[in-house]
Amino acid sequence: MKYQSFLIKYAEIAIKGKNRHIFEEALVQQIKIALKRCEGSFSVSRTSGRMFVDALTDYDYDEVTTALGYVFGIVGICPVRIMELKEPEELKRAAAEFFGEEYPDRHVTFKVHTRRLAKNYPLDSQELNAEIGEAILMAYPDAKVDVHEPEVMFHVEVRERVYMYSHVLPGPGGLPCGSGGKAMLLLSGGIDSPVAGYMCAKRGLKIDATYFNAPPYTSERALQKVIDLASIVARYTGPIYLHNINFTEIQLYIYEKCPHDELTIIMRRFMMRIAERIAKATECEALITGESIGQVASQTMRSLACTNEVCTLPVFRPLIAFDKEDIIAISRKIDTYDTSILPYEDCCTIFVAKHPVTKPNVEVIRRHEKNLDEKIDEMVDRAIETDELIIVDRDGYRVVGKE
Ligand code: ATP
Ligand code: MG
């Protein structure tokens, strides 16, 4: 085993004061969940402001670092060499040897950064920096010291044992999933909503999702695409409870009763109403959409105001001021893009008007929604009653059926 442990770095700015403990505990839990998928056995511990993953058995390095790379809250993963506390001569020799293993070609500039927490150790940190640096230079003359901009920061911590590390693999940042409560994502098959869900999850929210499906106008493959997208986001969030809502009769009814240039807005208002009811029934404290100002007619400021008006929960729109290019860049990074651009219709694209209103008037929209009074309540109730719950995880999904 080349590394017995990983030092986990996390951003500390967000976790000052009393929240620190809650944050750290949530991070430990998320790390444990991520490691359950890996071969081997591990312990996760917090000691004096440090978080460590210790391998108790053999493990696969790539598998473990990949798994940790999906855990929100982690900013850096440092593979660590641990040795017993030894006399300075032996410590120096071991440090130089580890350096040689880490940088086989040795044409690097480096700086040694020592922390001595074992206060009775014969050398202090300044002396250790100098002597370990010298030992490395003696062993590997191609390496060079650069104290200002070293390519390699070689860390040595002298505690009850000695910890050495120099590689820092990037983590995804953010806050541990679930540490901020749970929200309901309106998830369509497009590019934007999976990215919006990812972004809120990154800020510590657990994500449930609602998809509005319009069979037979939309195919099974459109639903499968949404499941696949949820599955990719689930790499970061853990299992996502996806509510598959049959929206067909509501859509047809709106199509029959309301002016066609207002179809999208009215439809969106019903999506928000239904998503909110499911959210409230499942302890979600906010809604999340992939909307972005001006992207399409239903996302002008006025249109957003109209859809917002029907909600009492806060609506999070993390992409509100993002250009499409920037959203695409994130979707590529998180790997949803190739799935999002598959061509299967989602329910909105079928009932779109040629010239949708861009400046809807809420009063007018409300008046036109009155045309639906006769049947809409029972239709909304039915849509919610026939909610099909699908639990989606990174490697599959399970249709639970009606909740
Ligand atoms: P996306 O790329 O996420 O599909 P979009 O650019 O296609 O977004 P719209 O179709 O106007 O934009 O939808 C805006 C937002 O409304 C979506 O980001 C999503 O949150 C929600 N939404 C739209 N259609 C659906 C649907 N069929 N099911 C669930 N949510 C939807
Ligand atoms: Mg869409």
Side-chain angles (χ1 to χ4, degrees):
M1 205 171 3
K2 191 166 171 195
Y3 308 102
Q4 299 97 314
S5 290
F6 296 89
L7 169 65
I8 303 298
K9 299 204 167 195
Y10 48 90
E12 300 191 29
I13 299 147
I15 52 164
K16 290 245 156 69
K18 274 192 279 182
N19 293 332
R20 183 186 176 109
H21 174 75
I22 299 168
F23 172 94
E24 289 179 336
E25 195 44 47
L27 185 54
V28 167
Q29 288 312 320
Q30 291 302 314
I31 291 173
K32 285 183 177 169
I33 292 168
L35 291 172
K36 273 198 192 133
R37 299 178 167 277
C38 301
E39 289 283 332
S41 142
F42 306 88
S43 84
V44 187
S45 60
R46 286 182 285 151
T47 42
S48 45
R50 300 295 234 188
M51 193 173 292
F52 282 101
V53 171
D54 296 305
L56 307 175
T57 57
D58 263 353
Y59 65 91
D60 182 305
Y61 176 84
D62 290 337
E63 185 181 50
V64 167
T65 51
T66 304
L68 294 173
Y70 284 111
V71 178
F72 287 136
I74 296 181
V75 296
I77 305 153
C78 314
V80 181
R81 168 70 52 89
I82 301 180
M83 57 178 272
E84 296 307 316
L85 194 55
K86 295 273 171 60
E87 292 304 308
E89 279 314 307
E90 195 153 346
L91 171 65
K92 279 154 48 180
R93 195 188 49 69
E97 189 181 299
F98 181 54
F99 183 94
E101 286 175 36
E102 294 286 82
Y103 302 98
D105 86 354
R106 288 152 203 166
H107 283 272
V108 290
T109 62
F110 73 97
K111 176 181 176 179
V112 179
H113 182 266
T114 307
R115 289 178 71 198
R116 185 193 61 162
L117 292 110
K119 288 299 170 209
N120 54 358
Y121 198 75
L123 301 182
D124 68 18
S125 54
Q126 288 300 334
E127 290 165 332
L128 278 164
N129 284 344
E131 297 213 8
I132 292 170
E134 197 179 292
I136 292 172
L137 288 171
M138 297 275 281
Y140 312 113
D142 289 337
K144 287 198 171 50
V145 171
D146 180 344
V147 291
H148 300 296
E149 281 184 56
E151 289 160 345
V152 171
M153 186 65 97
F154 191 76
H155 295 270
V156 180
E157 293 194 6
V158 179
R159 298 170 173 255
E160 73 295 351
R161 294 192 290 170
V162 178
Y163 299 79
M164 297 184 285
Y165 66 92
S166 69
H167 290 298
V168 184
L169 315 174
L175 301 172
C177 196
S179 59
K182 189 167 72 160
M184 178 63 74
L185 169 67
L186 282 84
L187 179 62
S188 70
I191 293 170
D192 305 326
S193 46
V195 172
Y198 162 86
M199 287 175 70
C200 288
K202 187 173 172 192
R203 294 306 301 165
L205 302 189
K206 178 98 188 102
I207 303 292
D208 281 357
T210 301
Y211 170 58
F212 294 93
N213 197 354
Y217 299 94
T218 55
S219 68
E220 270 296 310
R221 297 216 288 186
L223 170 61
Q224 187 57 50
K225 179 179 165 184
V226 171
I227 293 173
D228 292 345
L229 288 170
S231 175
I232 297 169
V233 176
R235 292 175 193 166
Y236 295 90
T237 61
I240 293 177
Y241 282 45
L242 172 66
H243 300 267
N244 178 25
I245 298 292
N246 187 325
F247 202 51
T248 313
E249 82 174 345
I250 294 173
Q251 246 177 333
L252 290 172
Y253 192 47
I254 298 171
Y255 194 75
E256 179 194 330
K257 297 283 186 185
C258 300
H260 285 189
D261 62 348
E262 291 170 1
L263 284 181
T264 310
I265 286 292
I266 295 176
M267 214 172 67
R268 301 300 316 284
R269 283 162 63 93
F270 281 98
M271 284 186 184
M272 298 299 257
R273 288 179 173 115
I274 292 171
E276 176 164 290
R277 270 181 57 183
I278 301 170
K280 286 181 172 169
T282 54
E283 284 156 11
C284 293
E285 296 174 75
L287 302 178
I288 303 168
T289 77
E291 290 160 314
S292 168
I293 305 175
Q295 201 185 77
V296 284
S298 60
Q299 296 177 34
T300 63
M301 195 155 65
R302 283 273 191 89
S303 302
L304 290 167
C306 273
T307 35
N308 207 58
E309 192 228 12
V310 300
C311 302
T312 56
L313 286 178
V315 181
F316 296 155
R317 300 178 172 90
L319 306 180
I320 196 71
F322 275 50
D323 289 349
K324 195 76 185 185
E325 286 307 307
D326 300 330
I327 300 169
I328 288 174
I330 300 175
S331 77
R332 285 189 196 277
K333 189 181 87 178
I334 65 172
D335 214 20
T336 50
Y337 182 75
D338 290 340
T339 305
S340 288
I341 59 171
L342 294 174
Y344 319 122
E345 301 278 6
D346 91 11
C347 71
C348 310
T349 41
I350 288 165
F351 296 93
V352 283
K354 283 205 185 64
H355 301 290
V357 280
T358 53
K359 289 194 175 174
N361 177 318
V362 179
E363 301 298 332
V364 176
I365 298 278
R366 279 199 210 130
R367 202 160 60 236
H368 289 152
E369 277 181 355
K370 289 253 168 255
N371 301 350
L372 305 168
D373 273 355
E374 191 190 336
K375 291 188 189 158
I376 196 71
D377 288 348
E378 69 183 81
M379 285 182 176
V380 166
D381 287 346
R382 190 153 47 236
I384 292 169
E385 278 158 23
T386 56
D387 172 6
E388 180 186 50
L389 177 65
I390 305 173
I391 301 179
V392 186
D393 208 346
R394 63 167 67 195
D395 43 21
Y397 65 94
R398 187 159 59 87
V399 179
V400 178
K402 276 188 232 167
E403 273 236 277

